[in-house]
Amino acid sequence: MKIAEGIFSVGSVDWDLREFHGYSTPYGTSYNSYLITGEKNILIDTVKPSCTQEFIQKIESILPVGKIDYVISNHAEMDHSGLINWILSRSNATLICSPKGKENLEKHFHAKYERITVVENGQTIKIGPYTYQFFHTPMVHWPDSMCVYLIEKKMLFSNDAFGQHFACSRYFVDEVGLEVILREAKKYYANIVNPYGNSVKKVLSALATLQIDMILPSHGMIWRDQHQIKTILDKYSAWASNQPGKKILIVYETMWGSTKKMAEVCYVEAIKKNIESEQFNLQVNDISDVVAEMPDTKMILLGSSILHGQILPKMAGLIAYLTGLKFANRRAWSFGSYGWAKASFNKFETDIKNAGFDMPYDGFYVQFVPDKSALESLKTQLNSRIFNA
Ligand code: FEO
């Protein structure tokens, strides 16, 4: 697919992907690679090895692989670098990457590169008619990450930044709709980039000096409409601030329905107070969809039953996941049902606090099945304290 004169998208669409190391991908994804042709031929990133055939067919429909002169590797993770060695072994291409990229590619492939140019942050290289400027973007989201700005075309090849897991036969955000793509970009940010907000701020500050006519990420749709480019840059700036939104999330896992009853009371009471709320049962919802809502959330209510002296396993997985994702400036409250050991909730509360949440109030726990009076007491606690926190 021609993106601009002499510039092609040659990546692969992974229509069937439904899970990306723990992240649910109901719309699949794409591994975007870009080929800039002319006096010299430059390939930016490759694809996941399982998508080799489509990738090679797309390149070979434009030029033989052996004619590639340079391969820019923006990031060593294998969904983008999986075929770097394949290309290098079938051409005389020179590899261009960051210092950490060199180190990490060598450690992935157990290889030493002879034809390699290691680029410093801000460095420019003139190749053929174009000037390429390299911006290191460490921890957005790996130490080796970088992006490339094609100065004469005002195109930013941003790798994972500004991407979305979204398989589509189209190429541009404006062909699909901003609302749909922003929703997936937010899920991507929350699940992959959120721990690195301070690094994102530094990258945004470096990019602020550039006139950007197109952002070409390594997953999903390309941003080319000026209003939409401004929107995604502003969204990244807002998400990087890790500030709370307005929503309350009610997330639970239940054995025999007692915790579910309590979750439903939480939801109904929140709605009565006109608080925007979402309810997630972890038996049918993926933790990455819970996390996708976190940028818009001010408080999360977490409920579980107790089994073998522990909270249920999907809830334990969510807490571990949230701990790594480092959301800040948000509150939490816990609730649930136990059989004989209420003290089992102590660790639940400690783990939620260790995940970075402020918990000003003790949780609400009921033995076996909540009766009418327990549910009334729950309502009173929600309305007198929790929703006012
Ligand atoms: Fe899409 Fe960090 O790889």
Side-chain angles (χ1 to χ4, degrees), residues 75 77 79-80 141 160 188 219:
H75 176 29
E77 197 163 10
D79 50 339
H80 309 300
H141 69 123
D160 280 327
Y188 191 96
H219 297 288

Side-chain angles (χ1 to χ4, degrees), residues 186-202:
K186 182 175 69 170
K187 180 174 178 178
Y188 191 96
Y189 184 95
N191 280 275
I192 292 178
V193 188
N194 193 71
Y196 314 114
N198 286 336
S199 304
V200 171
K201 285 182 197 168
K202 286 182 197 157

Side-chain angles (χ1 to χ4, degrees), residues 62 92 111 124 143 163 169 186 236 247 276 279 314 354-355 370:
I62 299 162
N92 288 316
T124 56
S169 58
K186 182 175 69 170
Y236 259 59
K247 277 188 187 180
E276 195 182 347
Q279 191 180 163
K314 290 189 172 71
N354 288 341

Side-chain angles (χ1 to χ4, degrees), residues 143-179:
D144 53 63
S145 298
M146 69 173 189
C147 52
V148 185
Y149 182 59
L150 188 55
I151 292 177
E152 291 79 3
K153 291 283 188 184
K154 301 182 174 62
M155 289 175 156
L156 181 72
F157 297 88
S158 62
N159 196 260
D160 280 327
F162 314 116
Q164 334 91 42
H165 284 312
F166 194 78
C168 188
S169 58
R170 314 261 170 145
Y171 289 83
F172 297 99
V173 174
D174 52 86
E175 294 178 305
V176 177
L178 181 61
E179 199 173 327

Side-chain angles (χ1 to χ4, degrees), residues 66 74 81 87 102 114-115 118 178 211 220 238 265 292 294 327 355:
N74 278 327
S81 289
I87 297 286
K102 173 178 183 285
E114 290 169 5
R115 303 186 307 272
V118 175
L178 181 61
Q211 168 63 42
V265 166
M294 286 301 295
F327 287 96

Side-chain angles (χ1 to χ4, degrees), residues 224-245:
R224 67 176 172 184
D225 172 275
Q226 273 303 309
H227 164 70
Q228 293 178 349
I229 288 173
K230 182 175 181 327
T231 300
I232 189 63
L233 291 172
D234 288 348
K235 286 288 182 189
Y236 259 59
S237 179
W239 296 332
S241 72
N242 216 337
Q243 290 304 305

